Amino acid sequence: MLVLGIETSCDETAAAVVEADPAPGTPVGRIRANAIYAQLGEHRPFGGVVPEIAARAHLERIDGMVARALADAGVGFTDLDGIAATAGPGLIGGVIVGVMTAKAIALAHDKPFLAVNHLEGHALTTRLVEPVAFPFLLLLVSGGHCQLLAVQGVGRYRRLGTTIDDAVGEAFDKTAKLLGLGFPGGPAVERAARDGDPAKFDLPRPLWRKPGCDFSFSGLKTAVRLAAAGLPKDDPRAIADLAASFQRTVGDILVDRCRHAFDMFRTTCGLPPDTPVPLVVAGGVAANQHLRARLADVAASCGARLVAPPPALCTDNAAMIAWAGIERLRLGLVDGLDVAPRPRWPLDPAATAAIGRTGVGAGVKV
């Protein structure tokens, strides 16, 4: 089974071809091609992603990326068994570009079209490279999302906790900007933190040791801003110390929330308290090696193991979209060409919108 995947939800224009056994229950696949154009040059002057610029860059690059992926895989459109594309959530201009490209290919070559939830692409990535059985506990951490979910099967998610304000990846980007570390922020903060003292700054840990497993990062961002304003100018040691302290604090928060989530997960899935379960971490922030080590420790302390994709598959890519397409195609979950792109698309539609401390619903973070 060969599926072409297309990813255009943010600032990566990507196309990939993934191969797998067509039978359900055979999770591991093979990446035949994984072409990615990162729009860093387009967005770096602005210190972040500009949606209109991203959409135009997708439009300019997508045909070439699809052609490159097919050439790298040594296949043509007629060899494919399905065409998958991110249909949301994401920046709607870019999502439209990818969806319409995939629909055109599917229509022209009479192939099944698979509308993939970008978050499900992240959630299932580990099954592309390692045989991880359902159910598993998922920590999804990226620039726009931070949540804990019980993954019970393809398309079957129960949200256990979510951020009530900002995502952890957004906090990394903001910290990098405040410290003058450049864009993208996550890798920049991680590099700076290697030379810093993580105990130098005592930063707040919102919701730490509180019941449940919701997250909050707004107060931490504010504390970093205030600390950064008091740093000596052009002092690399002080910058490294604040970066390391921020990264350690994020690790403390994630560890605390995951520890709570294990009990909630076992209860949700009807498992005995001592059942060993995998903790899967996915999303761009999952590439951070310091946070991986912290999460591996908390998983072990809870009688579990940490499973994470290779760093290259943590950030947005089309291989994860092609793989999610394969998982859906195996189950006969094919979509019509009338499916509309969606800027918001929760993995657990039944979950209530998170309510922030201001009383305003943080539904955008579902």
Side-chain angles (χ1 to χ4, degrees), residues 1-3 18-23 26-30 81 128 323 326 330:
M1 179 180 284
L2 284 171
V3 169
V18 173
E19 178 182 33
D21 191 296
T26 53
V28 177
R30 176 189 171 204
D81 296 291
L128 167 59
W323 175 253
I326 285 175
R330 284 169 167 171

Side-chain angles (χ1 to χ4, degrees), residues 177-188:
K177 191 170 185 177
L178 289 168
L179 298 180
L181 297 176
F183 175 81

Side-chain angles (χ1 to χ4, degrees), residues 147-206:
Q147 50 192 304
L148 282 154
L149 303 113
V151 182
Q152 297 171 307
V154 177
R156 298 172 56 211
Y157 300 87
R158 291 283 301 277
R159 197 187 76 198
L160 306 177
T162 187
T163 177
I164 65 172
D165 41 52
D166 302 322
V168 62
E170 182 181 351
F172 268 94
D173 287 339
K174 183 66 172 180
T175 296
K177 191 170 185 177
L178 289 168
L179 298 180
L181 297 176
F183 175 81
V189 170
E190 184 178 11
R191 285 192 299 270
R194 290 172 189 152
D195 299 322
D197 177 2
K200 187 69 174 180
F201 292 86
D202 185 17
L203 299 173
R205 297 163 176 79

Side-chain angles (χ1 to χ4, degrees), residues 37-271:
Y37 173 74
Q39 302 172 5
L40 296 178
E42 286 87 342
H43 302 288
R44 185 172 284 116
F46 306 97
V49 178
V50 180
E52 177 65 18
I53 292 175
R56 291 179 180 274
H58 288 312
L59 194 59
E60 293 171 0
R61 298 277 181 169
I62 188 60
D63 289 346
M65 299 308 292
V66 169
R68 176 179 157 189
L70 293 176
D72 289 349
V75 301
F77 288 119
T78 57
D79 300 308
L80 299 173
D81 296 291
I83 315 296
T86 295
L91 303 178
I92 192 60
V95 173
I96 289 172
V97 171
V99 166
M100 296 310 293
T101 300
K103 286 181 177 181
I105 296 171
L107 179 62
H109 298 278
D110 193 25
K111 302 293 182 180
F113 170 65
L114 303 141
V116 172
N117 185 314
H118 177 82
L119 303 181
E120 182 161 54
H122 280 302
L124 300 177
T125 302
T126 53
R127 286 169 53 86
L128 167 59
V129 295
E130 185 174 342
V132 180
F134 300 119
F136 58 81
L137 175 62
L138 172 67
L139 172 63
L140 182 58
V141 277
S142 68
H145 301 275
C146 185
Q147 50 192 304
L148 282 154
L149 303 113
V151 182
Q152 297 171 307
V154 177
R156 298 172 56 211
Y157 300 87
R158 291 283 301 277
R159 197 187 76 198
L160 306 177
T162 187
T163 177
I164 65 172
D165 41 52
D166 302 322
V168 62
E170 182 181 351
F172 268 94
D173 287 339
K174 183 66 172 180
T175 296
K177 191 170 185 177
L178 289 168
L179 298 180
L181 297 176
F183 175 81
V189 170
E190 184 178 11
R191 285 192 299 270
R194 290 172 189 152
D195 299 322
D197 177 2
K200 187 69 174 180
F201 292 86
D202 185 17
L203 299 173
R205 297 163 176 79
L207 297 183
W208 193 49
R209 294 180 175 174
K210 296 292 174 60
C213 49
D214 283 340
F215 303 86
S216 172
F217 293 98
S218 178
L220 175 58
K221 283 170 51 180
T222 300
V224 170
R225 177 175 62 80
L226 295 174
L231 292 182
K233 292 188 179 298
D234 301 321
D235 184 345
R237 170 57 63 182
I239 290 173
D241 289 343
L242 184 50
S245 298
F246 165 79
Q247 184 173 255
R248 183 210 64 190
T249 302
V250 170
D252 290 345
I253 295 169
L254 296 182
V255 164
D256 178 68
R257 303 289 87 188
C258 286
R259 195 182 302 279
H260 289 209
F262 275 107
D263 290 337
M264 294 179 65
F265 171 80
R266 292 184 175 103
T267 299
T268 297
C269 296
L271 301 174

Side-chain angles (χ1 to χ4, degrees), residues 8-19:
T8 56
S9 67
C10 191
D11 60 335
E12 280 87 13
T13 309
V17 176
V18 173
E19 178 182 33

